[in-house]
Amino acid sequence: QESEFHIRELHISKINVKGAKKVKQKEIKKVMTSRAPSVKAIFKPKPVFEEETLKEDIGRIKMLYWTKGFYSVQISYSLEEIEDNLVNVQILIDEGELTVVKDIEFLMEEEEIESFEVNFRQLIPIKGEEAFVVEKYEKSKEIIYQFLADRGYPIASVEGEAKVNKEKKAAYLSFQVTAGPKAYFDQISIQGNQSVSETLILRELTFERGQLFSLSKIQESQKKLYNTRLFKTAIISYEREVHAED
C-alpha cells in the first residue's frame, strides 16, 4: 500500500489493532517497532510515522502468528490523517484457521532405540490433531535428546522436519533420531578448587566413574555444588566424544 503519507513527515496519533482474537494485542505490539505515543508522555513529540517500518511490523506480526499455528493469517493496514501531520494507524488481521498436526513420524536406524518411540510420543508436548506450534516443536527435539542423554547416549542427535500445507491447514512432522554409541562416566577431573577439597566436591556428585552416562545426573550435581554456596560458579562439562573400549 503506497500512499502520499510517506512524502511528508507525519507523527503517529494512535495504533489500533482489529481482528486479533487468538493472539493478545500486548503480544502483537511487543513485536512492533512502530509505537503509539505514551499516555504519560503528553507533552513529548509524538513518534514519527514511517511506512516502511510499518510494513516490516506487518511481517513480524505474521511471524508471531505463524509460531502459534496460524499459517493462513492475512494482515493489512489503513491510514487516516486526522489533522496536520498526525495519522491514525489501523492494523487489520484475519487470523484464519489453525494449522493442525496431522502426522508425527520418528525415523531411527538403530534398532536399540526403536522401542523408545512410545516414550517419545508420550513425552513431547506437540501432539497429533493439535495446533502446530513452533515452540512446542522445538521443545520436542530438546526433550528427545534429554531422554537419550539420560540413558547413556551423550552424542545423540535429533533433527526435525516440518512440512506445512497451507491449503489443507495441516502440518506433517518428522524427527530423525540418532543415538550414537552408549557411554559411561570415565575420568572425573576437578579444576579451580583452590580452597575446597576434592573429597567434598566428589561427595556432592550424583554420579561416579563406571556408571551409565546421564545428563540429568550432571545437571543435578551442578545444582548441588552451587547450592553449597562455596563457589561463585560451578560448571560441569563433558566431552561429547565416546572413546572405544580397549
Side-chain angles (χ1 to χ4, degrees):
Q1 178 182 348
E2 294 293 340
S3 69
E4 75 279 4
F5 289 110
H6 71 284
I7 299 173
R8 296 175 290 119
E9 181 177 283
L10 297 174
H11 295 265
I12 298 172
S13 175
K14 290 181 182 178
I15 297 178
N16 296 317
V17 179
K18 290 191 174 182
K21 299 175 183 177
K22 301 296 184 181
V23 178
K24 294 179 181 178
Q25 294 213 10
K26 184 178 180 181
E27 289 184 82
I28 292 170
K29 291 182 178 179
K30 189 175 181 180
V31 303
M32 294 177 62
T33 302
S34 302
R35 290 283 184 265
S38 169
V39 177
K40 298 179 181 178
I42 300 176
F43 301 107
K44 291 184 179 181
K46 297 186 185 298
V48 174
F49 169 72
E50 295 180 359
E51 195 157 10
E52 285 304 312
T53 300
L54 179 59
K55 290 177 181 178
E56 292 171 1
D57 286 335
I58 297 300
R60 282 188 280 268
I61 297 169
K62 279 188 179 179
M63 287 293 294
L64 174 64
Y65 268 90
W66 290 348
T67 63
K68 296 179 180 294
F70 293 91
Y71 286 86
S72 58
V73 63
Q74 298 293 320
I75 305 175
S76 60
Y77 66 91
S78 63
L79 307 172
E80 178 190 9
E81 189 171 2
I82 55 173
E83 56 182 85
D84 286 346
N85 302 326
L86 276 182
V87 65
N88 282 340
V89 178
Q90 185 163 270
I91 297 173
L92 308 169
I93 299 176
D94 179 359
E95 294 179 326
E97 297 178 27
L98 269 174
T99 295
V100 174
V101 176
K102 289 298 181 182
D103 186 51
I104 302 175
E105 183 180 18
F106 293 90
L107 306 173
M108 297 173 282
E109 294 182 1
E110 297 145 311
E111 292 184 5
E112 61 187 291
I113 64 169
E114 286 180 355
S115 62
F116 292 155
E117 180 175 338
V118 175
N119 303 94
F120 297 158
R121 290 189 183 277
Q122 290 176 341
L123 291 170
I124 61 175
I126 200 158
K127 307 291 184 183
E129 299 303 324
E130 292 185 1
F132 173 49
V133 179
V134 172
E135 185 179 352
K136 289 184 178 181
Y137 168 65
E138 294 297 334
K139 185 66 177 177
S140 295
K141 290 189 278 188
E142 295 175 14
I143 288 172
I144 293 169
Y145 172 76
Q146 179 84 40
F147 180 90
L148 291 170
D150 282 345
R151 287 158 180 79
Y153 300 102
I155 61 172
S157 67
V158 184
E159 302 292 335
E161 184 179 29
K163 295 180 180 179
V164 175
N165 187 318
K166 292 184 179 180
E167 291 183 3
K168 294 183 178 180
K169 312 294 187 299
Y172 304 88
L173 314 181
S174 64
F175 296 97
Q176 177 76 49
V177 183
T178 304
K182 188 168 282 190
Y184 296 81
F185 287 113
D186 195 2
Q187 182 178 351
I188 301 171
S189 61
I190 301 171
Q191 298 177 349
N193 55 318
Q194 297 177 351
S195 59
V196 181
S197 70
E198 286 195 4
T199 302
L200 187 150
I201 294 171
L202 291 171
R203 193 170 62 205
E204 295 299 318
L205 302 183
T206 60
F207 60 89
E208 59 186 40
R209 189 172 186 175
Q211 289 182 339
L212 185 67
F213 180 90
S214 168
L215 181 57
S216 287
K217 286 186 176 181
I218 288 179
Q219 293 165 337
E220 183 183 349
S221 298
Q222 185 167 298
K223 186 176 180 180
K224 286 184 66 180
L225 285 170
Y226 184 76
N227 287 342
T228 63
R229 300 179 183 274
L230 296 172
F231 312 97
K232 283 186 177 180
T233 59
I235 299 172
I236 302 177
S237 59
Y238 60 94
E239 290 184 18
R240 288 182 175 266
E241 295 181 9
V242 178
H243 303 288
E245 294 182 4
D246 297 330

